[in-house]
């Protein structure tokens, strides 16, 4: 379980202080898959860094598995696995060497077998003795995932895990995350792929300028802004979207527009996102 | 339970070191600087100068060992930490692992010492071949190990403090470089003017140079040993504190 209460982090930059995370409060339950969504610079990575004991909060509280990130970071480190947004593999070492070092750092039992298992899981067993520099971006992401799962963490943090993965591998990643949930693991995931959040997350928190602007299941979030969207290209070639509470209203609107490009579709998380933050995701 | 958290940290550095050694150019470049000094000073002055009853070469070689072990231990650790913190981000993996901050410290320091000892070994080999009256004593070994340890610790401190990779060079130009020349590597410090001597005796490398050339323990040797040990302990504590306080 994860509990955040008024979590705040301020960066001192050239142009004054930035409140990267600003009074964030939320709770993630056991074996929940929780998504953090937000535009670039919203504070997702900063929040993850605090939860994973990498950054110290400037204010507020953060408990992971009942342990405080400031007072008992060691206890948390025994229980978490992290896929960071920025690759932090040892690039001049091989895939297997990377995992071996990690296994030692985390005192993984039966390391040889676990390493093989995890490399096979992400389809990298054949490349086990290749140096990471020679891996493609997607292969490096997969190796990061294998590493994060190596010590069988009870909480898994994934900061944009599917950046640079092709659709097929991304589906495989989703499957392994779902499977991970069945094992009773808690997952916190940030993503720019709306469909990823919809496909995986039990609940989603939408972050904007460090603050939480919405927190609910994807279904409820969509319902809260309206169920249907009318979309068309106007005379100037711009995409126009109207969100409506129900299908009937939407159909009436569509008929009134007298535009051949008009379509009516169901609301997705992206519509919610745009409505709440005024920004588009990538 | 014995804390073995330092071992993977050390092992990782050794894997990197082995890869470097396999590149021929590396071994060559590691040897070039001390050999230049040896030729320029040793063979240049060698025949005409005698110090404390030994040949200049036999005087110079322990000094080069002290200098080179300092340089290599310090540089390896400071640049590894600097790069892994700021550029490769691999330092995060240590921080997020359930090991003590002092384990990270010990692993890095031991790796730096190996690097320093390796560079020293190259010079010792050249020394044995070129100066017949050069001797390795017990004190030589003590001074060498302590020196590697001390400067690897300083490497941790600088590696944790620097805000960019260029910073590392700044520290080294203001601190390490002058020490290499003024702390008794090329000539005995007791020949220096009094005022200057005061400054020079504060520098840790001076005491390594005193200790590394002693045949046996005397009062001066004990003082130097004490000063080096205090420096080393202080640096170890500071370095561990910096690692413990790490936050992005
Ligand atoms: N080390 C740092 N120093 C100064 N400012 C920082 C630092 N890291 C992040 N910030 C600032 O904090 C804010 C939040 O950044 P963060 O990386 O958490 O955003 P994000 O939601 O992960 O964005 P993205 O989707 O691009 O990954 C940004 O305004 C960023 O400029
Ligand atoms: Mg981010």
């Amino acid at each position: 379980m994860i509990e955040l209460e008024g979590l705040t982090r301020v960066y001192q930059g050239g142009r004054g202080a930035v409140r990267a995370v600003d009074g964030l409060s939320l709770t993630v339950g056991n074996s929940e898959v929780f998504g953090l969504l937000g535009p670039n610079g919203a504070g997702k990575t900063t929040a993850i860094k605090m939860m994973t004991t990498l950054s110290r909060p400037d204010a507020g509280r953060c408990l992971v598995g009942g342990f405080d990130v400031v007072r008992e970071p060691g206890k948390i480190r025994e229980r978490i696995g992290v896929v960071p947004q920025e690759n932090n593999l040892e690039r001049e070492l091989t895939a297997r060497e990377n995992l071996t070092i990690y296994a030692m750092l985390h005192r993984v039992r039966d390391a040889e077998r676990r390493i093989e298992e995890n490399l096979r899981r992400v389809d990298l067993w054949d490349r086990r003795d290749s140096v990471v520099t020679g891996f493609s971006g997607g292969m490096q992401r997969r190796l990061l995932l294998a590493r994060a799962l190596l010590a069988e963490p009870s909480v898994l943090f994934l900061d944009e895990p599917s950046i640079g993965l092709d659709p097929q591998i991304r589906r495989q990643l989703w499957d392994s995350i779902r499977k991970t949930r069945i094992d009773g693991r808690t997952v916190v995931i940030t993503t720019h792929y709306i469909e990823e959040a919809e496909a995986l997350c039990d609940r989603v928190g939408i972050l904007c300028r460090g603050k939480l602007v919405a927190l609910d299941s994807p279904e409820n979030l969509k319902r809260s802004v309206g169920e249907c969207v009318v979309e068309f290209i106007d005379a100037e070639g711009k995409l126009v979207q109207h969100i409506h509470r129900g299908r009937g209203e939407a159909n009436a609107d569509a008929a009134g527009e007298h535009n051949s490009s008009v379509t009516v579709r169901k609301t997705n998380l992206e519509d919610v996102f745009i409505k709440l933050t005024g920004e588009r995701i990538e | 339970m014995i804390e073995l958290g330092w071992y993977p940290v050390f092992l990782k550095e050794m894997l990197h070191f082995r890869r470097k050694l396999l590149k021929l150019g590396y071994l060559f470049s590691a040897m070039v600087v001390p050999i230049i000094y040896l030729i320029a000073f040793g063979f240049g002055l060698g025949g005409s100068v005698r110090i404390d009853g030994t040949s200049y070469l036999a005087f110079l070689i322990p000094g080069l060992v002290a200098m080179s072990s300092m340089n290599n231990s310090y540089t390896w650790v400071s640049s590894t930490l600097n790069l892994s913190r700021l550029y490769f981000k691999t330092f995060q993996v240590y921080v997020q692992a359930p090991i003590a901050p002092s384990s990270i410290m010990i692993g890095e320091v031991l790796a730096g010492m190996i690097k320093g000892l390796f560079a020293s070994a190259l010079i010792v080999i050249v020394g044995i071949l070129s100066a017949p009256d050069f001797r390795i004593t017990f004190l030589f070994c003590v001074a060498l190990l302590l020196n590697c340890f001390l400067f690897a610790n300083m490497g941790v401190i600088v590696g944790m403090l620097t805000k960019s990779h260029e910073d590392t060079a700044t520290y080294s130009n203001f601190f390490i470089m002058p020490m290499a020349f003024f702390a008794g590597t090329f000539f005995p410090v007791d020949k220096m003017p009094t005022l200057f001597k005061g400054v020079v005796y504060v520098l840790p490398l001076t005491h390594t140079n005193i200790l590394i050339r002693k045949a046996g323990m005397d009062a001066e040797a004990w003082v130097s040993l004490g000063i080096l040990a205090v420096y080393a302990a202080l640096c170890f504590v500071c370095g561990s504190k910096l690692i413990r306080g790490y936050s992005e």
Side-chain angles (χ1 to χ4, degrees):
Chain A
M1 193 157 85
I2 301 169
E3 290 174 81
L4 312 185
E5 216 182 277
L7 195 65
T8 300
R9 176 74 217 236
V10 185
Y11 285 115
Q12 304 299 334
R15 288 178 293 132
V18 179
R19 301 183 77 82
V21 172
D22 194 358
L24 184 60
S25 301
L26 55 86
T27 307
V28 180
N30 282 334
S31 70
E32 183 177 8
V33 177
F34 184 85
L36 265 181
L37 253 62
N40 288 137
K44 305 179 294 291
T45 298
T46 307
I48 294 237
K49 280 185 178 174
M50 287 191 279
M51 292 186 249
T52 57
T53 75
L54 206 54
S55 289
R56 212 153 292 152
D58 291 311
R61 224 161 53 111
C62 174
L63 304 183
V64 177
F67 299 105
D68 188 290
V69 286
V70 179
R71 275 178 289 127
E72 303 151 295
K75 291 272 196 280
I76 296 177
R77 289 166 188 164
E78 285 170 13
R79 291 167 170 77
I80 61 173
V82 187
V83 171
Q85 179 172 6
E86 276 182 278
N87 172 0
N88 63 6
L89 294 165
E90 289 293 340
R91 282 159 237 210
E92 285 171 30
L93 302 186
T94 66
R96 202 203 318 232
E97 285 168 341
N98 265 281
L99 296 198
T100 304
I101 302 265
Y102 187 87
M104 288 176 171
L105 286 169
H106 288 258
R107 301 187 203 94
V108 174
R109 290 211 192 92
D110 205 0
E112 293 271 324
R113 190 183 55 80
R114 300 268 315 140
I115 290 170
E116 176 170 351
E117 212 173 275
N118 278 282
L119 281 175
R120 284 192 192 282
R121 191 206 311 249
V122 297
D123 246 348
L124 286 175
W125 178 244
D126 294 339
R127 299 296 299 270
R128 59 190 174 274
D129 292 320
S130 310
V131 175
V132 173
T133 343
F135 283 16
S136 73
M139 288 161 76
Q140 298 191 17
R141 295 301 296 163
R142 276 144 60 197
L143 184 57
L144 281 167
L145 182 71
R147 192 182 70 181
L149 289 170
L150 194 59
E152 302 195 306
S154 54
V155 188
L156 189 60
F157 292 91
L158 307 168
D159 198 353
E160 323 247 352
S162 48
I163 275 193
L165 296 184
D166 57 43
Q168 191 198 343
I169 300 282
R170 197 184 304 161
R171 301 278 154 173
Q172 283 176 19
L173 174 78
W174 294 359
D175 288 342
S176 33
I177 292 171
R178 284 199 203 93
K179 197 171 148 289
T180 254
R181 210 261 287 304
I182 296 166
D183 299 340
R185 207 166 272 152
T186 307
V187 182
V188 176
I189 180 169
T190 79
T191 179
H192 279 126
Y193 297 109
I194 292 288
E195 38 161 352
E196 184 163 86
E198 291 199 52
L200 289 175
C201 300
D202 302 312
R203 281 191 313 148
V204 173
I206 296 182
L207 211 55
C208 189
R209 297 203 191 89
K211 289 198 163 80
L212 200 63
V213 294
L215 175 68
D216 214 328
S217 68
E219 285 313 309
N220 287 343
L221 284 175
K222 284 188 274 186
R223 209 168 300 137
S224 71
V225 300
E227 303 220 331
C228 285
V229 181
V230 174
E231 245 178 11
F232 58 89
I233 312 281
D234 71 6
E236 282 145 36
K238 272 207 310 224
L239 178 71
V240 180
Q241 295 174 319
H242 300 151
I243 302 182
H244 293 281
R245 193 152 307 132
R247 177 68 71 170
E249 254 177 64
N251 284 340
D253 179 21
E257 287 299 340
H258 303 296
N259 183 315
S260 63
S261 70
V262 77
T263 55
V264 179
R265 62 166 173 80
K266 284 193 140 183
T267 313
N268 60 32
L269 259 188
E270 180 152 21
D271 303 317
V272 178
F273 188 87
I274 293 166
K275 175 134 188 193
L276 291 175
T277 67
E279 290 174 62
R280 215 163 248 289
I281 290 192
E282 296 254 280
Chain B
M1 201 180 87
I2 308 166
E3 172 62 76
L4 280 178
W6 61 270
Y7 182 67
V9 178
F10 175 73
L11 176 66
K12 187 205 85 181
E13 296 300 338
M14 289 302 104
L15 290 172
H16 279 297
F17 189 39
R18 191 181 66 187
R19 289 223 155 73
K20 277 203 156 176
L21 277 182
L22 293 177
K23 293 179 195 145
L24 261 183
Y26 177 75
L27 199 64
F28 183 71
S29 80
M31 298 204 61
V32 150
V33 174
I35 286 183
I36 286 177
Y37 284 134
L38 204 65
I39 293 172
F41 290 89
F43 302 132
L45 288 170
S48 52
V49 182
R50 291 188 72 79
I51 291 176
D52 301 335
T54 60
S55 72
Y56 183 65
L57 257 183
F59 172 84
L60 178 64
I61 285 162
L64 287 180
V65 168
M67 178 181 90
S68 201
S69 61
M70 164 182 83
N71 263 333
N72 281 278
S73 298
Y74 165 84
T75 309
W76 175 275
V77 177
S78 64
S79 67
T80 302
L81 275 179
N82 177 282
L83 288 174
S84 69
R85 258 175 63 233
L86 301 172
Y87 187 60
F88 295 115
K89 304 283 176 189
T90 48
F91 193 69
Q92 296 175 342
V93 178
Y94 294 157
V95 175
Q96 287 172 328
I99 58 171
S102 58
S103 294
I104 301 177
M105 179 89 190
I106 293 168
E108 294 290 355
V109 165
L110 284 179
M113 289 177 73
I114 295 286
K115 182 74 203 314
L117 290 174
F118 173 78
S120 304
L122 297 180
I123 298 171
V124 166
I125 292 169
V126 175
I128 290 172
L129 294 178
S130 62
D133 52 350
F134 166 66
R135 295 275 175 280
I136 296 178
T137 61
F138 174 67
L139 271 185
F140 179 97
C141 299
V142 172
L144 175 57
L145 283 172
L146 202 52
N147 199 52
C148 289
F149 179 75
L150 168 61
F151 284 101
N153 278 308
M154 284 198 185
V156 173
I157 295 176
V158 171
M160 292 303 293
L161 286 177
T162 39
K163 299 205 160 55
S164 71
H165 195 55
E166 290 78 59
D167 268 12
T168 323
T170 314
Y171 278 90
S172 136
N173 286 344
F174 275 100
F175 188 60
I176 297 293
M177 264 284 280
M179 204 146 51
F181 284 96
F182 295 119
T185 305
F186 299 101
F187 47 87
V189 284
D190 50 12
K191 305 271 191 300
M192 285 187 172
T194 324
L195 191 71
F196 213 57
K197 240 156 94 171
V199 179
V200 165
Y201 274 107
V202 176
L203 303 175
L205 188 68
T206 307
H207 299 284
T208 308
N209 272 321
I210 292 173
L211 205 58
I212 206 167
R213 291 183 174 119
K214 287 275 180 215
M217 287 309 279
D218 55 16
E220 193 191 25
W222 279 111
V223 170
S224 291
L225 185 66
I227 290 174
L228 284 176
V230 168
Y231 266 122
L234 280 179
C235 288
F236 187 82
V237 172
C238 284
S240 298
K241 275 226 163 76
L242 284 171
I243 292 178
R244 188 181 298 277
Y246 179 83
S247 169
E248 292 196 354

